[in-house]
Amino acid sequence: MTTHQGKGICPGIAFGTVYLLQKADTAIQQTPGGTPDQEWTRFLAAKAKADGQLKQLFEKTAAELGEEQAMIIDVQRLMLEDGDFNDAVQQMIQTEQVSAPYAVSQAGKQFSDFFAALDDPYMRARATDVSDLSQRLTDILLGRRHSHAFTGPTVVVAEDLTPSETLQMDRAHIAAFVIRLGSSNSHTAILAQTMGIPCVIQTDIPLDPAIDGREIIVDGTGGLCYLEPDQIVREKMAQWRQEARLRQESLDGLRGLPTATKSGQTVRLFANIGGTQDIQSVLEHDAEGVGLFRSEFSYLGRSDYPTEAELFAVYRRVAEAMGGRQVIIRTLDMGADKKVDYFDLDQEENPALGLRGIRICIDRPEIFRTQLRAIYRASAFGNIAIMFPMITSLWEVIHCKEQAAAIRRELTAEGLPIRDVALGIMIETPAAVMVADALAKEVDFFSVGTNDLTQYTLAIDRQNHKLDRFYDPHHPAVLAMLQIVADSARDNGIWAGICGELAADPAVTATLLNMGFDELSVAPASVLEMRKRIRDMD
Ligand code: PEP
Ligand code: MG
């Protein structure tokens, strides 16, 4: 057994086997293990296996997400048979005498660069399909498991993980995440929290291929990982896991009870989600609504823009599942660490200060329009509100409201049913705090994104794990800003909530309530614990 200490950022005990996530290019030997004919035969066998995997994935995706989404998988099956791609691999194996995996990764790179340089946005988006396909083939050739095909509880071990990579994984089997780098405030960490999956970051676990498939226990509370655990650790962890289950069960009685302090101050206790897959957990933990639907996650992990029909289907499902409870959809907050090739965003020196959040929607009205149409169409099926992220100026809010009004008029003219949709904004820049009074006159509510507000107030990149000790959401400057936001909302007769991670921080629950916040939105798994804490308060 070896023990590896890190930082636990999502609690819970997980038992599983290691899935070592290696990026496409690592550990690919150029020198062939056999003759060119043998390498070519290896390639053909890998191709047949990839085809089988993709066929299965097609059926699973079609059943879970619909035929349209599944067509993306079919595109990859077609590429597998592409004559030019196959010729390129064969050519390299035969004339350059390289190994099959090396030939596949080189051909994959050439083809994906070719697609990425095309003018047509549809063809450009195919670059991601080629990369994914060549990764699948190299995984098979090197005997590595592909992250779409886990069986049994799996602990994903990686150097680092982007939100896009996380979303593409087969989450039904993910037991825990163990990341060597990682920052507590990154979106990957937030995704793990939303999914309620134990997560340890900043560990010294070795990324040695030998650990792939080995048994591991992860303690997301203490930040420890045990590789090939001995009997004593196994028993102790099984006991802790059981105790955690009992603690969770003891909270079950709080379902259906109001979230109010003993003196009667009520708080709307909402949950944060990333997509339809989180709704079950929201309902199980009895959240009173969805306070933050990070809608950009529907744009990640895919190779082309979602259509209006696809987005509408997602929003409608969430709205219907929540019944009359409010669902606040944040319009897409892409950029910074949330990037996909098909958005074709420039490389920026300072992406957190770059084209992100509402700036993308203002810059690219077609993307915004598609999303707003889908949201308004879904409004007829539940209680939907919209909020706009990364606001800094009044004109942005007025612009967004005008866009929303135009969409309303358009849909009404088309005879489509829509309901009233409250319009709010996220307060996550110091600029928005300082003009909160003016902003409050234009919107129905505020929701503070303390993750970004901390980043921008303290001038600390939330992605940089080396700065974790300086990233302090309790900093007096951040708390002073929160008070300004709560006061501005109250003075203008609108409500204010918090949907950043600070909303679930027990150290400040009383402070936030005293400041006058009306709503707290937290990861689904934290809802009942929060309700208990608030009900225990005077
Ligand atoms: C925030 O910034 O606090 C927030 C809730 O948004 P995100 O974490 O998605 O940037
Ligand atoms: Mg934010």
Side-chain angles (χ1 to χ4, degrees), residues 260-277:
T261 62
K262 288 182 189 151
S263 56
Q265 182 178 359
T266 56
V267 182
R268 286 146 42 101
L269 187 52
F270 280 26
N272 296 345
I273 64 166
T276 48
Q277 66 283 356

Side-chain angles (χ1 to χ4, degrees), residues 7 9 159-161 179-186 189 201-202 462-466 468:
K7 189 167 165 186
I9 54 156
E159 177 76 359
D160 207 354
L161 211 51
I179 303 170
R180 274 174 63 94
L181 301 175
S183 132
S184 330
N185 315 295
S186 69
I201 59 171
Q202 299 167 24
R462 66 191 264 196
Q463 290 295 117
N464 187 339
H465 68 276
K466 292 190 179 143
D468 264 11

Side-chain angles (χ1 to χ4, degrees), residues 185-187 190 272 292 294 296-297 330 333 337-338 356 387 389-390 426-428 447-456 462 471 498-502:
N185 315 295
S186 69
H187 283 97
I190 288 169
N272 296 345
L292 167 63
R294 288 185 163 94
E296 62 278 6
F297 288 167
R330 165 172 83 184
D333 184 20
D337 61 327
K338 291 176 287 195
R356 62 163 296 194
M387 69 178 170
M390 287 296 296
M426 292 195 68
I427 303 282
E428 44 189 351
S447 184
V448 188
T450 47
N451 309 333
D452 276 317
L453 186 59
T454 305
Q455 153 165 270
Y456 295 124
R462 66 191 264 196
Y471 181 96
I498 298 190
C499 61
E501 302 316 292
L502 196 68

Side-chain angles (χ1 to χ4, degrees), residues 33 40 84 289 305 336 358:
W40 178 243
D84 291 342
Y305 292 100
I358 203 64

Side-chain angles (χ1 to χ4, degrees), residues 487-519:
D487 291 347
S488 305
R490 191 200 50 239
D491 292 349
N492 289 284
I494 64 168
W495 64 264
I498 298 190
C499 61
E501 302 316 292
L502 196 68
D505 182 341
V508 292
T509 309
T511 309
L512 299 179
L513 263 59
N514 286 336
M515 284 179 173
F517 280 99
D518 309 282
E519 180 237 34

